[in-house]
Amino acid sequence: YYFPCQRWLAVEEDDGQIVRELVPVDEAFVKKDSENDGQSLATLGLEQKAKSTTYTVKVKTGDKKNAGTDANVFITLYGSKDDTGIVSLKASKINKNKFERGKVDEFIVESVDIGDLKKIKIGHDNKGNSTGWFLEWVEIDAPSLGQCLKFPCGRWLDKSEDDGAIERIIFPAELQTTEYIPFVPYEITVYTSDIFGAGTDADVFIVLYGSDGICTQQKSLCLNKREQRMYFERNSVNQFIVELEDVGDIIEKIRIGHKGGGLNSGWHLDRVAIRRLLPNGK
């Protein structure tokens, strides 16, 4: 069995996860890829990403005295087919200091298809100076399922409060579940020109337009400022797997640009290639 990864397991890189689930690929695909100098092994990592489901996990710490925690928080998502295993919530996309009183933190969790989300288990390791935590709620958005679920808690995870538990199993509130048309993964390849000053460190975004006026949301291609510095260099080819609204079989146009700012924001774009991926990753 061959399990390519080609992605970071680092709090400060990629999506911030330090554990990844990998699915096997055919041996011939690995050998063919390693023999072909023109195609990077990183493509295999993107194939993996296309087969996985991405969840945006928002966590609200209560607005009470000593509600925040310095402990290491973890979560497990349980679906109708499988579960994610224990996932550490290490890198909040919003706050440098996570799980502070009254704040909402946002994390990205990737997993193989676990089916419809049924429940979660969330807790902490009780390590650090201030460990007790008042958890208001957890919200999980699963674009590939077309669902956003709210998991209300409103209780302490603290050995000296409530029932003393530091982990809890929480079920979604049915009346607070939002349903929408499931997103699909697109493979977006961006070619930056080979001229002086062509590269950019700005936040690059894209919008896809289909027929009948259907369009996607505006989506940043980089997850953080570190990626912005790494990608879109002069004469580079960067590939992304992005989950977006399904605009159908025909893409009539795209809108691509950046938000400016910074020292090196000007960008000379050569071309963009887009492939709509089917559920089996083809």
Side-chain angles (χ1 to χ4, degrees), residues 61 66-73 89-90 96-101 124-134 157:
T61 298
N66 300 322
T69 184
D70 296 328
N72 296 303
V73 175
L89 299 180
K90 289 278 189 184
K96 188 172 183 181
N97 293 326
K98 51 193 185 295
F99 310 122
E100 296 288 310
R101 173 178 175 173
H124 61 78
D125 62 2
N126 206 44
K127 292 181 179 177
N129 295 323
S130 175
T131 58
W133 185 34
F134 190 89
L157 285 77

Side-chain angles (χ1 to χ4, degrees), residues 5-274:
C5 182
Q6 298 293 319
R7 294 181 65 190
W8 286 99
L9 285 77
V11 173
E12 71 280 2
E13 300 282 2
D14 201 337
D15 58 5
Q17 291 301 329
I18 56 172
V19 178
R20 296 204 180 281
E21 287 193 349
L22 305 177
V23 293
V25 299
D26 189 83
E27 177 186 359
F29 185 43
V30 176
K31 288 184 174 176
K32 180 193 76 175
D33 197 79
S34 61
E35 290 165 4
N36 184 357
D37 293 336
Q39 183 182 14
S40 166
L41 271 169
T43 313
L44 289 171
L46 288 169
E47 290 286 333
Q48 290 269 18
K49 190 171 180 179
K51 291 177 182 176
S52 67
T53 302
T54 302
Y55 302 92
T56 299
V57 179
K58 290 184 178 179
V59 180
K60 171 69 184 295
T61 298
D63 191 8
K64 290 176 177 283
K65 186 180 178 181
N66 300 322
T69 184
D70 296 328
N72 296 303
V73 175
F74 59 83
I75 192 170
T76 304
L77 279 53
Y78 295 88
S80 54
K81 299 178 186 175
D82 202 351
D83 65 72
T84 61
I86 295 172
V87 178
S88 295
L89 299 180
K90 289 278 189 184
S92 172
K93 292 181 68 180
I94 301 174
N95 305 306
K96 188 172 183 181
N97 293 326
K98 51 193 185 295
F99 310 122
E100 296 288 310
R101 173 178 175 173
K103 295 293 178 74
V104 176
D105 291 287
E106 185 176 311
F107 305 88
I108 301 296
V109 174
E110 280 184 16
S111 168
V112 295
D113 182 17
I114 62 170
D116 293 331
L117 201 50
K118 297 296 185 183
K119 64 181 180 180
I120 62 171
K121 180 164 71 175
I122 189 166
H124 61 78
D125 62 2
N126 206 44
K127 292 181 179 177
N129 295 323
S130 175
T131 58
W133 185 34
F134 190 89
L135 172 62
E136 196 72 58
W137 49 257
V138 177
E139 182 184 274
I140 300 180
D141 189 11
S144 64
L145 301 177
Q147 276 190 333
C148 185
L149 298 95
K150 194 74 163 277
F151 295 80
C153 180
R155 295 183 69 179
W156 286 98
L157 285 77
D158 188 337
K159 286 194 171 180
S160 60
E161 296 278 357
D162 204 331
D163 58 0
I166 58 171
E167 62 177 47
R168 299 199 181 278
I169 291 175
I170 314 174
F171 295 88
E174 288 187 20
L175 294 177
Q176 292 179 276
T177 298
T178 306
E179 305 263 355
Y180 55 90
I181 298 171
F183 285 23
V184 296
Y186 288 90
E187 178 191 271
I188 299 173
T189 309
V190 180
Y191 299 80
T192 299
S193 304
D194 185 14
I195 64 172
F196 179 75
T200 184
D201 293 334
D203 183 5
V204 173
F205 61 82
I206 195 167
V207 181
L208 311 186
Y209 293 84
S211 54
D212 302 322
I214 301 170
C215 71
T216 69
Q217 62 179 292
Q218 180 172 299
K219 181 77 172 180
S220 292
L221 295 177
C222 292
L223 291 170
N224 51 47
K225 284 187 166 60
R226 289 178 72 93
E227 288 195 359
Q228 290 173 30
R229 291 194 293 270
M230 287 167 56
Y231 299 140
F232 312 118
E233 297 295 308
R234 174 179 174 174
N235 196 31
S236 66
V237 180
N238 301 119
Q239 208 164 46
F240 306 88
I241 302 291
V242 182
E243 285 183 332
L244 291 167
E245 296 91 337
D246 189 353
V247 298
D249 294 331
I250 298 171
I251 300 176
E252 293 202 335
K253 67 176 182 179
I254 67 170
R255 187 162 65 91
I256 188 166
H258 62 76
K259 297 176 182 177
L263 295 173
N264 304 302
S265 61
W267 185 35
H268 198 286
L269 172 63
D270 184 61
R271 65 190 190 278
V272 180
I274 298 178

